[in-house]
Amino acid sequence: MTLKGRNFIDLSEFDRLELRKILDTAHDLKRKQKMGEPHSLLKGKSLAMIFMKSSTRTRVSFEVGMTQLGGHALYLSPSGTQLGRGETIGDTAQVLSRYCDAIMARVYAHSEVADLAKYADVPVVNGLSDFLHPCQIMADMLTIEEHKGILEGTKIAYVGDSNNVSNSIMQGCTIMGMDVTIGSPEGYTPDSKIMKRADILSKKFDTTLEVVNDPKQAVKDADIIYTDTFFSMGQEESKEKEKALMPFQVNRDLVKAAKKDVSVMHCLPAHRDEELTSEVMDGPHSIVFDQAENRLHAQKAILALLI
Ligand code: CP
Ligand code: NVA
């Protein structure tokens, strides 16, 4: 089985063996990097990185990852390229394909990254769209495997706003055999498009997938509690949404309602004392900075396998 030449846009396009190969490669590359063993798998290769939105982790981890693999990454912003002056995504994709070995893009509308893939002759990696954040979830599953030893049968409870991160959790974690519960208030539950797709995956991989409106019910027996910002990039902030989501805050009380050894995750950036209290984020259950580190190792695996 080879992943060479594939796009990495939507986890539901991959099967369990393929995601397993990425995770195993990531564990191996992490070990090599920690031991100082050379792993210049992408010597002479270049990655174009298009950022339509801000980023700390995605930008730095992809750029450093390419350097560690012996390659090179270029940061491209709309204001610094002709994208900002109206050159189309399709033309940009064709041009970048003539210079670079892969394209990573962080976009607003999911259709933009799909369009890039349509026109590019090289692999396209989704570095976050309004619909999905697949690289994040690969890093998260790497982290869960490190902390819990196994993915299959492990329960993850995502509480808060249903968004790109929870959508990718519903896909990736289900494919890998985890039980997924989404705890969101009415009006902020997963949309029907992702629900339909995730239901199919859950049946195929014989896992539990449920959506509940009560945060304590969501985290019952959870091995992992996961949360994310109330307002994703590009979304308008509103008092009404904040009020609806506040009862879903991950705080000491909610952590107590899960398993004793529950781990708390957040893709970051966190809005301290909104979706997650500082007490929990800096406390013994939190593994948020391990997650952030693992962006590097997971994405190195993705790039090495695709390119
Ligand atoms: N988690 C994540 O994607 O972080 P950045 O927005 O900093 O890239
Ligand atoms: N849901 C968040 C994730 C940020 C990494 C957003 O889209 O802003």
Side-chain angles (χ1 to χ4, degrees):
M1 174 242 303
T2 176
L3 294 173
K4 200 169 169 183
R6 294 271 300 271
N7 297 313
F8 195 81
I9 291 178
D10 181 329
L11 293 177
S12 68
E13 290 163 1
F14 293 84
D15 62 28
R16 186 178 293 181
L17 274 181
E18 290 167 339
L19 296 188
R20 169 51 48 211
K21 184 163 183 177
I22 294 171
L23 289 171
D24 287 348
T25 305
H27 283 297
D28 188 48
L29 289 175
K30 181 168 182 176
R31 186 191 54 76
K32 285 197 164 94
Q33 196 241 328
K34 299 282 178 199
M35 302 296 287
E37 283 178 33
H39 50 283
S40 302
L41 302 172
L42 295 181
K43 212 163 164 223
K45 305 286 184 190
S46 297
L47 172 72
M49 306 191 299
I50 300 173
F51 280 95
M52 307 280 203
K53 298 181 196 173
S54 315
S55 168
T56 298
R57 279 144 289 268
T58 305
R59 177 182 175 179
V60 177
S61 55
F62 267 106
E63 190 162 336
V64 170
M66 276 305 283
T67 303
Q68 290 183 0
L69 289 166
H72 174 67
L74 300 96
Y75 172 77
L76 306 171
S77 67
S79 61
T81 61
Q82 301 289 7
L83 271 169
R85 293 184 56 252
E87 186 166 17
T88 67
I89 293 218
D91 292 346
T92 306
Q94 293 184 68
V95 171
L96 292 178
S97 299
R98 302 288 177 113
Y99 305 129
C100 299
D101 302 281
I103 300 169
M104 191 282 298
R106 166 165 287 194
V107 299
Y108 283 95
H110 189 72
S111 59
E112 292 174 319
V113 72
D115 256 11
L116 266 174
K118 184 171 158 196
Y119 291 102
D121 297 321
V122 296
V124 171
V125 178
N126 180 1
L128 181 147
S129 69
D130 61 355
F131 186 50
L132 298 170
H133 198 2
C135 295
Q136 178 68 51
I137 275 53
M138 293 311 292
D140 297 340
M141 293 197 293
L142 187 67
T143 313
I144 295 168
E145 219 157 44
E146 287 174 346
H147 282 268
K148 303 291 175 191
I150 188 163
L151 296 177
E152 220 169 329
T154 302
K155 175 176 170 178
I156 182 165
Y158 175 95
V159 287
D161 184 35
S162 297
N163 62 17
N164 42 13
V165 170
S166 59
N167 288 350
S168 284
I169 286 176
M170 286 165 72
Q171 298 183 323
C173 294
T174 301
I175 293 170
M176 295 314 290
M178 295 178 68
D179 293 321
V180 179
T181 300
I182 306 291
S184 301
E186 297 268 12
Y188 302 99
T189 52
D191 72 26
S192 54
K193 181 173 156 198
I194 191 75
M195 221 38 238
K196 235 186 247 160
R197 287 209 220 166
D199 264 335
I200 294 170
L201 290 174
S202 160
K203 287 204 179 75
K204 179 170 171 194
F205 293 101
D206 195 21
T207 66
T208 308
L209 172 69
E210 53 174 5
V211 178
V212 299
N213 300 128
D214 175 352
K216 287 218 169 127
Q217 188 190 341
V219 304
K220 189 172 178 288
D221 297 325
D223 300 288
I224 309 285
I225 299 176
Y226 198 120
T227 192
D228 187 14
T229 180
F230 293 166
F231 303 100
S232 287
M233 288 179 276
Q235 287 180 349
E236 217 170 282
E237 303 206 0
S238 81
K239 284 276 165 225
E240 189 194 338
K241 186 174 182 187
E242 191 184 328
K243 202 171 147 214
L245 286 165
M246 216 50 207
F248 290 75
Q249 183 191 62
V250 178
N251 52 32
R252 191 201 309 183
D253 238 28
L254 196 68
V255 170
K256 271 201 197 136
K259 274 192 184 162
K260 258 202 166 69
D261 64 346
V262 67
S263 297
V264 173
M265 302 182 77
H266 189 309
C267 58
L268 306 182
H271 301 76
R272 285 173 172 265
D273 302 313
E274 286 181 26
E275 72 272 8
L276 175 63
T277 60
S278 279
E279 182 188 27
V280 171
M281 182 162 161
D282 300 326
H285 293 280
S286 172
I287 56 171
V288 301
F289 296 110
D290 292 342
Q291 268 181 275
E293 174 185 338
N294 281 337
R295 293 293 301 278
L296 172 70
H297 309 296
Q299 289 158 191
K300 280 168 72 179
I302 293 165
L303 292 171
L305 290 166
L306 261 49
I307 300 175

